[in-house]
Amino acid sequence: MGDTPGPSEPTLEEQIAAYQREFQDLDPQVEKIVSALGRLNRRMNVAYGRQTATLGISNAEWEVLKALVLSGAPYRMGPGELAKRLGLTPAAMTHRIDRMVSEGLVTRERDESNRVRVIVELTGEGREKWLEAMRLATVFEEDLLQDLSASERGVLGEVLTRLLRRVEHAQPDAGGRLNDLD
């Protein structure tokens, strides 16, 4: 696979050469890996965003649907817990939930056992959007990894998981965002 940069973006090799010119202590192998991961992440987010847009939802809404599904049936969580999981402020979470309630993707009701607590619950329509997004993502991801053998996929998965664990251990509070993106 060649390095195909986006418009006006240097290739990885050009980027690394420029970095080495300005910072001689750079390890080009490390920089290539880190830069490739960053570019891959950015391009995958764009691709997923295009897919969710065809379903009439945003990536931000997809994140909420995913969090609710991951919570397990009956797919309910408090807005504070959702905000924490997604690395959002309570205000940003409220804004996102307001939008999703108006679109019929989730409901927001008072908890009958604790009238102060609010519960956000996935609707049938929200679950269908989540399923369709998963179908689209599966096709995209299979295409993305088509050139890797099953063994290479296994090794890549293990290596990336080790890197993720290292970052999670070193930066346990870095699961969210530095700033709200909504």
Side-chain angles (χ1 to χ4, degrees), residues 2-40:
D3 175 24
T4 308
S8 73
E9 184 176 37
T11 65
L12 285 177
E13 289 74 17
E14 291 167 339
Q15 177 180 329
I16 293 165
Y19 284 177
Q20 284 182 301
R21 182 183 66 237
E22 302 297 326
F23 182 69
Q24 290 75 34
D25 293 340
L26 180 84
D27 180 334
Q29 191 175 35
V30 169
E31 188 57 37
K32 186 170 190 173
I33 292 166
V34 172
S35 294
L37 285 171
R39 288 184 186 199
L40 179 61

Side-chain angles (χ1 to χ4, degrees), residues 63-72 74-86 97 107-109 117-122:
E63 288 179 4
V64 175
L65 297 177
K66 179 174 66 172
L68 288 168
V69 168
L70 289 174
S71 74
Y75 314 118
R76 305 172 71 184
M77 295 176 75
E81 187 180 358
L82 274 168
K84 186 175 179 182
R85 243 189 226 183
L86 299 177
I97 292 168
T107 60
R108 176 178 35 213
E109 304 290 334
R117 182 174 150 86
V118 173
I119 297 293
V120 178
E121 185 172 345
L122 186 66

Side-chain angles (χ1 to χ4, degrees), residues 79-110:
E81 187 180 358
L82 274 168
K84 186 175 179 182
R85 243 189 226 183
L86 299 177
L88 298 172
T89 64
M93 191 74 250
T94 297
H95 175 69
R96 195 174 290 186
I97 292 168
D98 287 346
R99 243 185 4 240
M100 294 179 75
V101 166
S102 71
E103 294 167 359
L105 301 172
V106 299
T107 60
R108 176 178 35 213
E109 304 290 334
R110 292 265 174 227

Side-chain angles (χ1 to χ4, degrees), residues 6-181:
S8 73
E9 184 176 37
T11 65
L12 285 177
E13 289 74 17
E14 291 167 339
Q15 177 180 329
I16 293 165
Y19 284 177
Q20 284 182 301
R21 182 183 66 237
E22 302 297 326
F23 182 69
Q24 290 75 34
D25 293 340
L26 180 84
D27 180 334
Q29 191 175 35
V30 169
E31 188 57 37
K32 186 170 190 173
I33 292 166
V34 172
S35 294
L37 285 171
R39 288 184 186 199
L40 179 61
N41 180 58
R42 190 173 68 240
R43 285 177 171 82
M44 288 176 67
N45 283 335
V46 168
Y48 291 135
R50 289 178 178 151
Q51 289 179 338
T52 58
T54 66
L55 302 175
I57 62 173
S58 67
N59 271 355
E61 292 167 327
W62 156 252
E63 288 179 4
V64 175
L65 297 177
K66 179 174 66 172
L68 288 168
V69 168
L70 289 174
S71 74
Y75 314 118
R76 305 172 71 184
M77 295 176 75
E81 187 180 358
L82 274 168
K84 186 175 179 182
R85 243 189 226 183
L86 299 177
L88 298 172
T89 64
M93 191 74 250
T94 297
H95 175 69
R96 195 174 290 186
I97 292 168
D98 287 346
R99 243 185 4 240
M100 294 179 75
V101 166
S102 71
E103 294 167 359
L105 301 172
V106 299
T107 60
R108 176 178 35 213
E109 304 290 334
R110 292 265 174 227
D111 184 343
E112 291 303 317
S113 64
N114 177 353
R115 300 291 296 160
V116 175
R117 182 174 150 86
V118 173
I119 297 293
V120 178
E121 185 172 345
L122 186 66
T123 64
E125 182 178 345
R127 182 156 168 75
E128 284 304 312
K129 294 280 185 181
W130 178 81
L131 286 169
E132 188 56 32
M134 288 299 292
R135 288 181 193 104
L136 293 171
T138 298
V139 171
F140 168 73
E141 291 158 0
E142 284 295 326
D143 185 56
L144 175 69
L145 299 173
Q146 70 180 323
D147 296 331
L148 300 180
S149 69
S151 174
E152 289 171 320
R153 288 179 185 197
V155 169
L156 180 60
E158 287 301 316
V159 168
L160 291 174
T161 300
R162 283 195 342 242
L163 294 175
L164 178 60
R165 282 190 196 121
R166 179 174 297 277
V167 170
E168 288 174 341
H169 178 73
Q171 306 286 329
D173 62 339
R177 294 185 170 80
L178 296 176
N179 298 307
D180 293 330
L181 301 178

